[in-house]
Amino acid sequence: MTDHLNKPHGGELKNLLVSEEKAQQLKEESKHMPSWDLTERQICDLELLLNGGFSPLTGFMTRKEYENVCDSMRLPDGTVWPIPITLDITEELAQKLLPGDRLALRDPEGFMAAVLTIEDLWKPDKRKKAEAVYSTVNTEHPGVKYLFKESHTWYVGGRIEGIQLPEHYDFRELRLTPSELRAEFARLGWRRIVAFQTRNPMHRAHFELTLQAVRELQANLLIHPVVGMTKPGDIDHYTRVRCYQAILAHYPQHTVKLSILPLAMRMAGPREALLHAIIRKNYGCTHFIVGRDHAGPGSDSEGKPFYGPYDAQELLKEHAEEIGVEMVPFRMMVYSRKRACYIPVDEAKEDDGVLSISGTELRKRLAEGREIPEWFTFPEVAEELRRTHPPRHRQGFTVFFTGLSGAGKSTLAKALMVKLLEMGGRPVTLLDGDLVRKNLSSELGFSKEHRDLNIRRIGFVANEITKNGGIAICAPIAPYDAIRKEVRNLIEGSGGFVLVHVATPIEECERRDRKGLYAKARAGIIKEFTGISDPYEEPQDAEVVIDTTSLSPDEAAQDILLYLEREGYIGPGNQ
Ligand code: PPS
């Protein structure tokens, strides 16, 4: 037996929180320490370090730990550990720090959460890390995208002294720490506990699978969903937790417990499955369910899956004994119409009449207000989902006009606003270019930097309106494609986004020259004038293209309304 096999996971829990007295002392001393405001990901990691969910780690990884983990999935002492838990900081801060220094770690509100005693500072090779941890450098993988585009360039590692756990104001009674959950299991007399990890609402397939696990293993069930960071675009955790609460009543009494996990997922598939198992061991579980494509991000844009469907099961099988958790593998479950129950997909025969609904199909049904069948999900879950995902004609959306000065954006925007107000139902806000420049962006000029900032501000406001179920109509020039796409990405996460290219040719805009600006631009009096002395990047992704040369505002507004109706943004009798 090799040495590392003598070091099973999850025996002793690391509790990195210091005494109250020591915490006071650290808070005093921190006034003279450099300080770092933790990112959302880092707060999640810190919480699991502090509460013992990441035992046996005692801090953010040092370079040696990091390299060992990347290369061999082990800590330097041989313990299995699949994913680096590192603290990334800016180059600017890194230049000011030296090994031996202490760094105050704060949450976004400025509260001191912990102190890090620096052992190591280094600039990681991100490509190498991506290849090792994610087996790809493709930025379509959300973990790789985060690594390349969001995480900072320097890593700082060392021991942590915890002052307080990050504050959460939601679902407090469901946020049990590893020691609390272990104590709860002991109190209930639960000895065999199978954990179910999820980042999605639980439907019938998940329910049947967990129930089957409970029955076969004669074990109790811990539903342990991730509420830290999951895959971008996932259903928000508030909705999901209400769905989990709704499903609890369907399990036999005294068999199941729900607790939520503040983990930041990396979507690293097989390696992440190992991490999940280690965490569940720390939370007192004995068994861990691993299904199809566990913690995988699906496929890339060419349809090629990032991981094989059962790679995670294979990897965990190799390490489960060492970790000290038994893996409970599941194939994908599908509904057999003939047998009126769920069966593993590989047991299905031709005459089973197999049914399944994908996540994309579910979203489509919700958006269109269509039926969600009971064989697929419990009615309480469907109702909960409908509350936060109303059909499109009750969701917020943004109509974003782009086009040259004088193309007719403002007139069209106004006509559309008035027609939508006439229909009633949702509040409508107009963010016209000139209006925004007077109020929100009065200090900005027309450099690329300032134009982008202007559009980012408009996008921010439109997103807030959309998120809260209103209609935002924006009408800036917005000449740059990248920032338009950034705004689209932001808003599509909250509701609808419709880009309207007012494609009136420059000759016509100049002929109209309502504000006399083209003449001034030609004369060089106005600099950086779009279309004359500044670029306009024509959109290739507009939902509607309108040339106002020979259309009245009424006619042009009709084109947009017809598009909105076709896509379901305007319902029968509007509401
Ligand atoms: S941007 O690029 O989206 O930030 O521009 P926007 O906020 O829509 O502002 C455009 C309006 O400002 C006037 N104006 C100029 N436009 C373009 N280039 C230059 N240099 C410029 N200077 C002033 C102009 O009236 C624009 O309004 P519209 O309604 O488009 O004609």
Side-chain angles (χ1 to χ4, degrees):
M1 211 200 255
T2 49
D3 184 39
H4 61 255
L5 290 184
N6 295 323
K7 296 191 183 88
H9 273 280
E12 186 203 343
L13 280 178
K14 301 284 178 195
N15 177 1
L16 307 186
L17 289 166
V18 298
S19 68
E20 217 159 278
E21 205 180 320
K22 177 77 183 168
Q24 274 312 325
Q25 185 196 330
L26 285 175
K27 275 190 198 163
E28 249 337 281
E29 291 170 3
S30 77
K31 290 177 185 157
H32 310 286
M33 289 179 203
S35 154
W36 174 251
D37 290 342
L38 295 158
T39 63
E40 196 185 346
R41 153 92 68 101
Q42 294 166 350
I43 298 248
C44 292
D45 287 353
L46 182 70
E47 182 161 1
L48 288 179
L49 283 169
L50 294 182
N51 75 11
F54 278 162
S55 298
L57 302 189
T58 53
F60 284 104
M61 286 184 180
T62 60
R63 182 169 197 167
K64 187 160 182 228
E65 289 168 331
Y66 160 79
E67 282 172 357
N68 256 66
V69 164
C70 284
D71 296 344
S72 64
M73 295 203 294
R74 288 185 188 279
L75 296 170
D77 73 354
T79 311
V80 176
W81 194 278
I83 291 186
I85 305 298
T86 44
L87 183 66
D88 54 297
I89 57 170
T90 56
E91 167 136 20
E92 195 192 347
L93 176 61
Q95 299 301 350
K96 294 185 197 139
L97 302 173
L98 286 171
D101 287 351
R102 290 189 301 169
L103 182 63
L105 304 181
R106 297 179 189 280
D107 73 8
E109 283 79 42
F111 287 111
M112 268 271 282
V115 169
L116 172 86
T117 303
I118 299 172
E119 253 175 73
D120 249 344
L121 281 150
W122 76 102
K123 207 172 171 175
D125 179 341
K126 290 188 174 183
R127 261 189 94 80
K128 212 170 139 203
K129 176 175 174 183
E131 268 157 9
V133 178
Y134 299 107
S135 309
T136 175
V137 290
N138 184 347
T139 50
E140 288 168 352
H141 185 300
V144 177
K145 184 173 174 196
Y146 185 92
L147 176 64
F148 287 162
K149 306 226 161 122
E150 286 189 52
S151 83
H152 300 96
T153 45
W154 281 76
Y155 284 176
V156 57
R159 201 168 41 85
I160 290 283
E161 288 169 287
I163 293 170
Q164 59 184 39
L165 286 174
E167 270 297 351
H168 297 283
Y169 301 103
D170 58 334
F171 303 116
R172 278 175 184 276
E173 71 288 2
L174 297 178
R175 293 183 179 272
L176 276 74
T177 64
S179 48
E180 285 168 347
L181 208 47
R182 284 180 177 202
E184 179 75 353
F185 293 152
R187 195 179 66 78
L188 295 169
W190 290 11
R191 282 168 300 140
R192 288 163 72 80
I193 300 124
V194 53
F196 180 67
Q197 135 85 31
T198 181
R199 45 168 261 268
N200 286 311
M202 284 178 77
H203 303 301
R204 285 300 279 260
H206 310 110
F207 173 77
E208 298 295 341
L209 168 164
T210 49
L211 200 58
Q212 205 174 311
V214 163
R215 287 185 179 150
E216 276 172 19
L217 298 165
Q218 286 289 295
N220 290 97
L221 174 69
L222 173 69
I223 300 178
H224 209 200
V226 172
V227 296
M229 288 167 80
T230 62
K231 191 176 155 190
D234 278 347
I235 290 180
D236 69 275
H237 80 266
Y238 302 103
T239 308
R240 286 192 288 116
V241 174
R242 290 195 299 271
C243 289
Y244 307 133
Q245 285 172 321
I247 215 169
L248 281 181
H250 290 273
Y251 286 95
Q253 282 182 26
H254 306 298
T255 55
V256 57
K257 178 148 193 71
L258 170 66
S259 185
I260 58 181
L261 179 68
L263 169 71
M265 287 183 74
R266 272 71 169 170
M267 307 309 296
R271 279 196 182 222
E272 181 138 352
L274 247 56
L275 180 69
H276 288 177
I278 294 169
I279 294 171
R280 272 35 181 248
K281 170 80 192 184
N282 285 330
Y283 274 87
C285 302
T286 54
H287 293 70
F288 183 56
I289 296 174
V290 180
R292 189 185 178 279
D293 195 22
H294 186 100
S299 303
D300 65 17
S301 54
E302 275 155 27
K304 190 170 165 284
F306 284 102
Y307 308 110
Y310 299 106
D311 286 1
Q313 293 184 358
E314 290 301 317
L315 190 70
L316 185 51
K317 204 189 298 167
E318 281 172 39
H319 296 90
E321 197 186 326
E322 201 178 328
I323 291 170
V325 158
E326 210 167 299
M327 177 176 64
V328 186
F330 267 95
R331 317 300 282 181
M332 192 170 129
M333 302 288 271
V334 288
Y335 186 74
S336 159
R337 214 168 5 177
K338 181 174 152 219
R339 303 188 221 186
C341 69
Y342 276 86
I343 53 171
V345 68
D346 39 9
E347 281 175 26
K349 309 243 167 19
E350 201 144 299
D351 64 348
D352 264 308
V354 157
L355 297 174
S356 69
I357 291 182
S358 68
T360 318
E361 169 68 12
L362 174 64
R363 275 165 198 271
K364 210 158 164 262
R365 285 185 184 225
L366 286 167
E368 291 166 11
R370 281 194 282 136
E371 191 222 345
I372 298 172
E374 263 193 58
W375 62 261
F376 175 72
T377 203
F378 288 111
E380 304 94 299
V381 173
E383 199 185 305
E384 202 51 69
L385 291 174
R386 282 196 200 287
R387 275 176 56 198
T388 34
H389 296 75
R392 267 195 174 163
H393 68 269
R394 282 200 272 119
Q395 275 176 31
F397 66 88
T398 291
V399 179
F400 194 101
F401 290 94
T402 170
L404 297 170
S405 172
K409 301 182 300 293
S410 302
T411 316
L412 202 44
K414 183 117 191 271
L416 180 67
M417 175 179 76
V418 169
K419 285 180 192 295
L420 289 168
L421 284 173
E422 184 188 320
M423 289 177 190
R426 284 169 287 199
V428 188
T429 309
L430 178 60
L431 297 163
D432 187 44
D434 279 340
L435 210 83
V436 169
R437 287 224 168 235
K438 264 197 209 103
N439 298 288
L440 265 186
S441 293
S442 54
E443 86 287 19
L444 298 184
F446 289 90
S447 64
K448 173 163 192 312
E449 197 192 350
H450 276 193
R451 288 182 195 260
D452 281 355
L453 186 54
N454 182 38
I455 300 307
R456 203 167 278 132
R457 287 179 187 171
I458 294 175
F460 173 79
V461 177
N463 185 46
E464 291 300 307
I465 292 167
T466 304
K467 197 161 62 183
N468 291 308
I471 301 173
I473 302 177
C474 315
I477 296 179
Y480 296 108
D481 190 56
I483 190 77
R484 289 193 302 253
K485 290 213 165 80
E486 188 183 309
V487 169
R488 173 193 286 279
N489 279 339
L490 176 73
I491 296 179
E492 279 181 343
S494 314
F497 182 85
V498 181
L499 185 67
V500 180
H501 180 199
V502 186
T504 315
I506 186 145
E507 299 73 31
E508 173 65 15
C509 299
E510 192 165 0
R511 194 190 60 72
R512 293 178 185 167
D513 203 8
R514 296 217 172 92
K515 299 178 188 164
L517 296 175
Y518 281 90
K520 285 194 185 136
R522 290 281 181 206
I525 300 165
I526 300 180
K527 307 267 183 277
E528 298 176 312
F529 194 79
T530 308
I532 304 293
S533 45
D534 222 42
Y536 179 79
E537 297 172 3
E538 300 235 335
Q540 304 301 317
D541 57 346
E543 276 76 11
V544 184
V545 181
I546 293 173
D547 177 349
T548 63
T549 311
S550 50
L551 284 183
S552 72
D554 248 326
E555 289 167 332
Q558 268 315 314
D559 284 359
I560 302 169
L561 286 176
L562 287 176
Y563 174 84
L564 293 174
E565 194 282 325
R566 196 185 77 206
E567 292 298 313
Y569 291 111
I570 302 173
N574 192 22
Q575 295 313 307

